Amino acid sequence: MPIVAANWKMNPASADEALDLVRGVLSVARGQSDRVEVVIMPPFPWLLPVSEVLAESGVKLGAQDCFWETSGAFTGEVSPAMLKGWCQWVIVGHSERRLYLAETDEMVAKKAAAALSSELGVIMCVGELLDHYAAGVSDQTVSAQVRAGLANLSADDSARLVSAYEPVWAIGSGRNADPEHAYKTMRLIRRTVGELIGAGAARKVRVLYGGSVNAANVESYVELPLCDGCLVGGASLKAEEFSKIVKVTAEVYGHR
């Protein structure tokens, strides 16, 4: 089943706005839950109130990050064990955390392993900077990130592991990757996963596209043979826009 995940990032500013947004999405997402796995990923403060709205809706809840230890003297961090009570998914390695918070491949690998050990599904983000893209080394960059991120994982983790390809130069820029480039990179991701944890496991791992996804361009990605859905940023903050993305994804996969 495809996944459409809404990464709200550090938005919206209030709980009331968060609840209005999730209620706006639910009217469509609830009706597509048998064809698309919809995941809402709000900031930490809104996880609990949003979880109450999502209860028994079929729509999943996810966190935008986690730490790799279960507990301890790690001020400001949140462990997978704390999230598992109401979340089903967590993002690790998002490009903004790599860029602004100096998150390394090693840290991403530890977070992924810890989250999977706590029975959370993991959306592991990989992607190249504009400099890498311009220099023609996108493949080497993405492959290295995948290899590092899977360092502590095995084939047993594959059913709960998702890799999201997000070209960093496209995020928030209004630019989006050419579908052919996205296809080649997602094919590389799946091949790299296969080399590390086996071809059978690679078929279970879902691969998403993320990078200025919106209702107007989503079809060009989800119709690609190796694309299993999208990680949506800015467009997920508009209930009508995000609902259209969910509907388009359901329709495309319904004809596969």
Side-chain angles (χ1 to χ4, degrees), residues 14-29:
S14 72
D16 286 344
E17 291 176 278
L19 296 178
D20 286 344
L21 177 56
V22 74
R23 289 184 183 116
V25 171
L26 266 186
S27 60
V28 171

Side-chain angles (χ1 to χ4, degrees), residues 116-170:
L116 288 164
S117 293
S118 289
E119 300 180 351
L120 292 169
V122 168
I123 298 177
M124 184 180 72
C125 298
V126 297
E128 78 277 22
L129 297 170
L130 181 59
D131 289 349
H132 300 140
Y133 180 66
V137 294
S138 294
D139 285 2
Q140 296 92 315
T141 303
V142 172
S143 177
Q145 289 176 344
V146 173
R147 292 179 182 280
L150 297 180
N152 302 320
L153 308 185
S154 70
D156 292 339
D157 300 313
S158 57
R160 290 184 290 115
L161 178 63
V162 171
S163 180
Y165 168 56
E166 43 167 27
V168 182
W169 46 270

Side-chain angles (χ1 to χ4, degrees), residues 55-243:
E56 300 181 10
S57 69
V59 176
K60 306 295 178 58
L61 182 68
Q64 297 175 16
D65 186 44
C66 68
F67 196 61
W68 55 79
E69 296 289 351
T70 302
S71 61
F74 305 104
T75 301
E77 295 295 342
V78 177
S79 75
M82 295 172 179
L83 296 172
K84 66 182 291 187
W86 55 79
C87 288
Q88 294 80 46
W89 288 94
V90 64
I91 297 173
V92 300
H94 192 278
S95 63
E96 290 156 359
R97 296 195 61 83
R98 294 178 188 261
L99 181 62
Y100 300 128
L101 298 169
E103 199 161 281
T104 66
D105 288 339
E106 181 183 7
M107 293 164 69
V108 173
K110 292 196 290 187
K111 289 182 177 188
L116 288 164
S117 293
S118 289
E119 300 180 351
L120 292 169
V122 168
I123 298 177
M124 184 180 72
C125 298
V126 297
E128 78 277 22
L129 297 170
L130 181 59
D131 289 349
H132 300 140
Y133 180 66
V137 294
S138 294
D139 285 2
Q140 296 92 315
T141 303
V142 172
S143 177
Q145 289 176 344
V146 173
R147 292 179 182 280
L150 297 180
N152 302 320
L153 308 185
S154 70
D156 292 339
D157 300 313
S158 57
R160 290 184 290 115
L161 178 63
V162 171
S163 180
Y165 168 56
E166 43 167 27
V168 182
W169 46 270
I171 297 172
S173 68
R175 299 175 61 187
N176 50 294
D178 179 271
E180 182 178 357
H181 173 74
Y183 171 77
K184 289 180 179 178
T185 308
M186 289 188 286
R187 182 177 62 187
L188 170 70
I189 290 170
R190 196 175 296 279
R191 185 169 68 241
T192 305
V193 172
E195 291 171 358
L196 290 170
I197 60 176
R203 286 191 288 271
K204 295 179 182 178
V205 172
R206 287 176 283 186
V207 182
L208 313 183
Y209 174 77
S212 294
V213 178
N214 55 49
N217 65 32
V218 64
E219 185 173 359
S220 65
Y221 296 108
V222 295
E223 68 182 5
L224 297 172
L226 295 180
C227 183
D228 298 306
C230 290
L231 177 61
V232 186
S236 71
L237 298 174
K238 304 169 186 175
E240 184 176 356
E241 178 92 357
F242 185 71
S243 296

